Amino acid sequence: MVNSNERIGSLRRLPPALILAGSTLLTIVSIGHVDVVGGQANIVGQRSGERSASGRNESRRLFREETFGGNGRTCETCHSRKTGTISPADVLERLSDPNDPLFIHDGLDDGVSGTSRIANHATIRIERPLPPNVRIAGAPSATSVVLLRGVPGTINTPALDPALMYDLRARTLGDQALGAIHDHAQNTVEPTEEQLALIAEFQRTDKRFFSSDALEDFARGGPAPELPPGETKSQQRGRLMFVESEFTRGSTKGICALCHTGPMLNQTSPFNPGGPPGSRIANIGVSERNLLNLPEYTFLIDDGFGDVRAVTMPDLGIPLTNPRPPGVPPPFVRHPAFFAGFFKIPSLWGVKKTAPYFHDNSAKTLEEVAAFYTNLFANNPDFPVQLTPQDEADMVAYMKLLQ
């Protein structure tokens, strides 16, 4: 799954050799300042304002129907109306249609045939170019690598989240749309800037892209959503995990808020010692644990000053993004290998509708998410918490309230 000018076969699995410049996997970093005006992120290069009825109809058509002369895919092929993404259940339902364009190209097991991977995990093959400072051991001529990732959700994100894609490689909604049109839809007709702006505007304004009326109102300048109080004892106990609170050894209070606070529940709290408040990326060990047993690569990461570090995992995340995302420090401040395994922190509003979870879709249910965090906290010396089965149930019960 490593690509050069001639396709090279998959590397054999190598023993983990992860190198991090710190003991905790809950380390995070800010993506920099983002202006928020009336609840909506003011993102450079994206239009706002009202359009005529004909303009709105065209923006809807572009998202739902336009293929740009490609392989038959549209934006809606992978971003469903109901959840903004695709799940294994969605895939199994659609497999009955042999003409569904989901099952071509990067939807196939090896890009040519087979649907077992997408049926089991709803992941897509994406090819990412290797930055100049990243090489792959055993494949010195490789210029890109193929990774397996879930489809980033579109619920609440377009209007309320400036951090786009799991690795932050798209700076605007227009960038994101153009990348998908090129890489996934294999277009033969290039979209115009106006068409990209219309697609972005549809995602920022249409009701289908919001998990609730409260989130839609927030995007239009209304008040920020608040944590629901919870009705059952389990929900109320779960709520305490999401309330900003100083970490107390052995206590579950505030443990979810360490990385899920702010209006969209996707920023770190002031009580997270791993980085500045409001940070937007984190490493919780998803790539390191590799629960789906994905092919691993040994990435050789150079800081530009002769310090080359080896990291073995299936997906590097942030270090594959070139140029470096805003807020990620330059190599002379922090070795880029430090950010191996870092990915975007997702919002939790509407989370019960957006399974599977994590960048590799390795958690199929919220129960599996809770179990993952039980393992994380049990094996993290900086946050020693032993979650019980009741704690897991409380966490899940509360997440299901986040509409």
Side-chain angles (χ1 to χ4, degrees), residues 151-320:
V151 176
T154 54
I155 300 298
N156 298 318
T157 294
L160 292 166
D161 190 348
L164 302 174
M165 313 297 287
Y166 293 116
D167 53 14
L168 307 188
R169 68 181 183 273
R171 302 297 170 84
T172 70
L173 287 172
D175 289 344
Q176 184 276 326
L178 184 62
I181 290 166
H182 285 168
D183 299 336
H184 302 299
Q186 298 175 298
N187 64 304
T188 60
V189 177
E190 193 69 4
T192 66
E193 290 188 9
E194 176 69 11
Q195 287 174 319
L196 294 174
L198 283 168
I199 292 172
E201 183 168 319
F202 178 60
Q203 294 181 84
R204 290 198 305 273
T205 58
D206 193 83
K207 197 173 188 68
R208 64 181 280 181
F209 295 100
F210 299 97
S211 62
S212 68
D213 291 342
L215 270 295
E216 185 177 7
D217 186 48
F218 180 46
R220 305 203 186 312
E226 297 182 358
L227 292 175
E231 297 181 359
T232 69
K233 294 294 185 182
S234 180
Q235 292 167 350
Q236 292 166 3
R237 289 192 300 267
R239 184 182 189 278
L240 292 177
M241 300 180 188
F242 293 87
V243 174
E244 285 189 13
S245 175
E246 185 173 0
F247 177 75
T248 302
R249 188 181 183 90
S251 172
T252 62
K253 186 176 182 180
I255 59 170
C256 297
L258 290 171
C259 291
H260 291 284
T261 189
M264 296 304 296
L265 305 180
N266 60 359
Q267 303 177 46
T268 54
S269 82
F271 302 105
N272 190 324
S279 299
R280 296 302 316 283
I281 61 174
N283 181 0
I284 59 170
V286 173
S287 237
E288 289 86 344
R289 287 190 68 189
N290 191 15
L291 293 178
L292 298 185
N293 199 33
L294 302 176
E296 293 182 340
Y297 313 101
T298 295
F299 296 94
L300 306 176
I301 307 175
D302 193 337
D303 69 349
F305 303 99
D307 185 359
V308 179
R309 301 185 184 182
V311 177
T312 299
M313 57 175 55
D315 191 338
L316 272 184
I318 291 296
L320 291 176

Side-chain angles (χ1 to χ4, degrees), residues 11 43 136 196 212 214 229 244 263 324 370 375:
L11 292 176
I43 308 171
I136 296 179
L196 294 174
S212 68
E244 285 189 13
R324 187 176 65 251
N375 177 276

Side-chain angles (χ1 to χ4, degrees), residues 4 22 43-45 59 96 98-99 101 116 135-136 169 179 193 196 224 243 285 294 302 306 341 351 360 390:
S4 63
I43 308 171
V44 176
S59 67
S96 60
N99 298 315
S116 59
R135 294 176 291 118
I136 296 179
R169 68 181 183 273
E193 290 188 9
L196 294 174
V243 174
L294 302 176
D302 193 337
V351 69
D360 60 357
Q390 184 62 63

Side-chain angles (χ1 to χ4, degrees), residues 100-172:
D100 192 319
L102 180 63
F103 308 116
I104 57 174
H105 180 41
D106 50 19
L108 299 175
D109 290 347
D110 59 1
V112 179
S113 63
T115 57
S116 59
R117 185 203 70 251
I118 196 170
N120 290 325
H121 305 301
T123 51
I124 299 293
R125 301 172 79 253
I126 66 166
E127 184 172 351
R128 299 289 292 126
L130 293 174
N133 69 315
V134 178
R135 294 176 291 118
I136 296 179
S141 63
T143 58
S144 64
V145 61
V146 174
L147 310 168
L148 302 176
R149 292 181 182 173
V151 176
T154 54
I155 300 298
N156 298 318
T157 294
L160 292 166
D161 190 348
L164 302 174
M165 313 297 287
Y166 293 116
D167 53 14
L168 307 188
R169 68 181 183 273
R171 302 297 170 84
T172 70

